[in-house]
């Protein structure tokens, strides 16, 4: 079995009590099956959240703008044929919006590349960001994070017929592609100085470069790479083990402490919902992503 449910730190009784104390901020688990198309949460009513300018803006406008990725299959992906967004991050984003009382049809997804995330949050272009966004001390100086809601690690994607790269030890002299402003490109530049770094704004351009032979490897989080490998398993493969720890957070404007606490509580109270979201996205057949819900600590 791919998914092992993490031993719950919060017993069921504690979760129930926390919900009772805080009102219905996570939406109750709907009891429905996410895999069947129904959502495992409900849109919260009577939300009580004071001291959050972002939440005040969301309620006065009646919509929420959420920054996402649109080219990362399984995580944050927009179908070119239907224009529908899908993936684990997208479902987490919809759940967070629902816990704030915002229904799916009132969500505006805005694709924002890795290097533009802090700025988009700081200038209010997006109300929150949910897109493979690692919590780092550096970023925490500019923005706030709720979470983490997912943990993965940096990995490597190579052409299926290339047997010269089997782990991060094999990168000397290799052209290694990642996204500008990401933690993996920074890691390559700082700790793998014999590799030849190549950057694009988004990972799908790295994958194109890998396929046409312009680069030798794509490096970013394993969860992202497994999505590309699943999409083109004839030509691509993920090699080696994750060699960093990437903890995904929900990006918020700096100083949004009340909103951060609220979303943290949604995550903490919603272990059942998280599991259903995971099962309906990354836990599906064809995906090799393995994960359990991490404890919130931000
Ligand atoms: N999680 C890493 C980061 O936040 C890589 C993925 C991404 O660029 O979104 O930098």
């Amino acid at each position: 079995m791919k998914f092992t449910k993490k031993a719950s730190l919060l017993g069921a009784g504690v979760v129930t009590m926390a919900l009772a104390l805080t009102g219905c901020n996570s939406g109750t688990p709907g009891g429905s099956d996410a895999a069947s198309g129904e959502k495992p949460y409900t849109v919260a009513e009577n939300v009580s959240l004071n001291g959050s300018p972002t939440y005040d803006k969301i309620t006065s406008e009646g919509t929420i703008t959420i920054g996402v990725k649109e080219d990362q299959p399984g995580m944050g992906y927009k179908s070119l044929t239907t224009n529908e967004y899908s993936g684990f991050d997208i479902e987490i984003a919809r759940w967070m919006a629902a816990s704030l009382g915002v229904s799916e049809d009132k969500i505006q997804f805005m694709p924002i590349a890795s290097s533009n995330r802090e700025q988009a949050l700081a200038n209010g272009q997006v109300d929150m960001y949910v897109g493979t966004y690692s919590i780092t001390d550096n970023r925490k100086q500019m923005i706030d994070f709720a979470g983490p809601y997912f943990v993965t690690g940096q990995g490597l994607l190579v052409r299926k017929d290339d047997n010269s790269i089997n782990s991060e030890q094999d990168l000397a002299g290799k052209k290694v592609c990642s996204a500008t402003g990401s933690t993996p490109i920074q890691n390559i530049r700082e700790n793998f100085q014999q590799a030849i770094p190549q950057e694009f704004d988004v990972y799908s351009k790295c994958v194109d470069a890998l396929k046409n032979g312009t680069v030798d490897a794509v490096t970013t989080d394993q969860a992202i790479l497994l999505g590309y490998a699943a999409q083109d398993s004839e030509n691509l493969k993920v090699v080696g083990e994750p060699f960093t720890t990437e903890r995904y957070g929900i990006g918020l404007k700096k100083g949004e402490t009340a909103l951060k606490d609220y979303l943290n509580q949604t995550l903490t109270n919603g272990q059942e919902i998280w599991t259903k979201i995971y099962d309906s996205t990354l836990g599906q057949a064809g995906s090799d992503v393995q994960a359990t819900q991490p404890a919130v600590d931000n």
Side-chain angles (χ1 to χ4, degrees), residues 18-80:
L19 278 169
L21 287 173
T22 59
C24 46
N25 95 342
S26 69
T28 45
S32 57
D33 182 7
S36 71
E38 280 183 61
K39 300 296 174 182
Y41 48 79
T42 52
V43 178
E45 286 168 21
N46 307 318
V47 173
S48 163
L49 171 48
N50 298 315
S52 166
T54 299
Y55 178 69
D56 293 345
K57 174 175 163 266
I58 292 165
T59 42
S60 77
E61 291 174 0
T63 58
I64 187 168
T65 305
I66 307 181
V68 292
K69 297 296 183 66
E70 62 173 357
D71 68 332
Q72 298 177 185
M75 296 302 293
Y77 190 71
K78 186 179 175 188
S79 161
L80 295 175

Side-chain angles (χ1 to χ4, degrees), residues 69 114 117 131-134 139 182-184 203 220-221 224 248:
K69 297 296 183 66
S114 295
R117 292 181 285 205
T132 62
Y133 200 6
S134 297
R139 289 172 179 164
S182 69
T183 51
Y203 294 107
T220 186
D221 307 332
I224 301 173
Y248 290 172

Side-chain angles (χ1 to χ4, degrees), residues 139-171:
R139 289 172 179 164
K140 271 161 89 168
Q141 290 176 9
M142 293 168 270
I143 59 141
D144 283 347
F145 284 103
Y149 64 89
F150 191 77
V151 180
T152 178
Q154 185 171 356
L156 290 168
L157 182 75
V158 299
R159 286 182 294 276
K160 200 154 194 183
D161 59 5
D162 183 350
N163 294 318
S164 68
I165 304 173
N166 297 300
S167 80
E168 72 277 14
Q169 309 301 331
D170 301 327
L171 297 180

